[in-house]
Amino acid sequence: MRSQQTLSWAALGALWIAGAAGCGTPGAPQPPSLYLPEPVSDLSAIRAGDQVTLTWTMPKKNTDKLKIKEQVSVRVCRREKTGGACVDAGTLALDPGADGTWTDTLPPALAAGAARPLVYCVELKNKRGQSAGLSNPADLLAGAAPGPVEGFAAEVQKAGVVLHWNAAQQDTAIRLRRKLLTPQSTTKPKESLTAPPPETAEQDLLIEDTRQGRALDQTARFGEAYEYQAQRVVRVMQAGTTLEMDGAFSPPVRVDVQDVFPPAVPTGLVAVAMLGENGAETAVDLSWHPDPEADVAGYVVYRREGDRAWERISPGESVVGPAFHDTHVQPGHTYHYAVIAVDRGGHESARSQEAEETVPAQ
């Protein structure tokens, strides 16, 4: 009798286990959500003068991947020393997924003195004031902002636009900003191997060695108008990253880059007389080094005899190549030759050095 009772209880236990499994009884209960907003991961900071502007993106979900349905409290804080406490700088409330922004005015202690690292963070809190932690750090520099650039001016030269400023504060770099003022064509240019690519509307150039108080912009193009500005920049290395603190931009300087410069003087002029034989013409062959400038359209050849004035002997159209064949010569006469270069704008170079040649008498 005892054995039968034992079997009955065992069978009953087996039935209970099977029934429980078949009914899909849930496992251990999960802890309730704390509704902690996901921390911000794209915080960035820009300082201009004593103003620091922060930007970031608000999360749409909490740490349990549930959608956030109400505004989130945002705490903004800053920390000057590594490992120190993040000091409150302000609070605000924003909608989930919103573009966050905050402008902080640095207190006098952080806006003075030597340049040093400063870190900003934001912290998102739920209704109970709980958070999942601080955002990524946004690094910049505290300290006195560099002074303005003084004496900033621009001058167009053949090699490009020369920019000048008063050389001071050698511990700072100079950032030059160039803005294209000439309207760009809205039509698609024809494909060409020689056509220059379209210009960028704005370009920056950082000059780290400012001892000369000048820089040359060789990329400026003739026929275009530009606006230049300059600002001083303090740069500090921090954990392998360069942090920058910018001063105010100088007033803009407008430059119309016009090509009013003559091409380089041709060099290497050589004259060689060729005595006509077997029906060939007596002539003087001239050759010279080609002008390296891209806008040279051609050359003009001049000749004189004795003390006479220079006379143009090349045809109305400029000579394209660096060579000329002068057939209007007489045996026994001595001639002096010179060449000038002409660019596409019609500007002429000075005359080259003379080349003298005597045509042999027949």
Side-chain angles (χ1 to χ4, degrees), residues 164-224:
H164 304 269
W165 60 87
N166 295 343
Q169 297 184 3
Q170 299 300 327
D171 58 333
T172 64
I174 296 288
R175 175 178 288 114
L176 301 174
R177 176 160 294 173
R178 188 184 81 183
K179 181 179 180 181
L180 179 65
L181 300 180
T182 311
Q184 297 293 290
S185 174
T186 56
T187 59
K188 185 176 180 180
K190 295 181 179 179
E191 293 186 3
S192 173
L193 296 177
T194 60
E199 288 201 76
T200 305
E202 287 191 5
Q203 296 185 45
D204 284 357
L205 176 64
L206 190 68
I207 310 297
E208 297 192 67
D209 185 358
T210 63
R211 291 172 296 178
Q212 301 295 325
R214 69 190 299 274
L216 174 64
D217 180 9
Q218 295 179 296
T219 63
R221 299 177 183 176
F222 287 122
E224 306 286 8

Side-chain angles (χ1 to χ4, degrees), residues 40 43-47 52-55 75-90 102 104 106-107 110 115-123 134-143 236-239 241 243-245:
V40 169
L43 180 67
S44 63
I46 297 176
R47 177 179 174 181
V52 176
T53 301
L54 305 176
T55 56
R75 169 185 171 243
V76 181
C77 62
R78 49 177 131 77
R79 180 177 65 244
E80 183 177 354
K81 296 181 179 180
T82 304
C86 200
V87 180
D88 289 351
W102 174 268
D104 184 35
L106 291 176
L110 293 179
R116 54 201 185 274
L118 181 64
V119 175
Y120 276 84
C121 292
V122 295
E123 184 180 23
L134 296 174
S135 68
N136 64 293
D139 300 307
L140 44 78
L141 292 176
V236 174
M237 288 293 296
Q238 174 70 16
T241 301
L243 303 179
E244 296 184 353
M245 179 166 53

Side-chain angles (χ1 to χ4, degrees), residues 301-313 334-338 351 354:
V301 181
Y302 288 87
R303 186 187 71 184
R304 69 179 176 86
E305 258 190 281
D307 295 332
R308 297 178 185 178
W310 287 101
E311 175 188 6
R312 175 172 176 163
I313 60 173
T334 298
Y335 299 96
H336 298 264
Y337 294 92
R351 281 196 301 268
E354 297 180 25

Side-chain angles (χ1 to χ4, degrees), residues 35 58-59 67-73 94-96 126-127:
Y35 298 101
M58 293 292 291
K67 286 187 177 181
I68 303 174
K69 299 180 180 179
E70 54 195 7
Q71 284 194 326
V72 177
S73 176
L94 293 173
D95 292 328
N126 63 11
K127 286 185 175 181

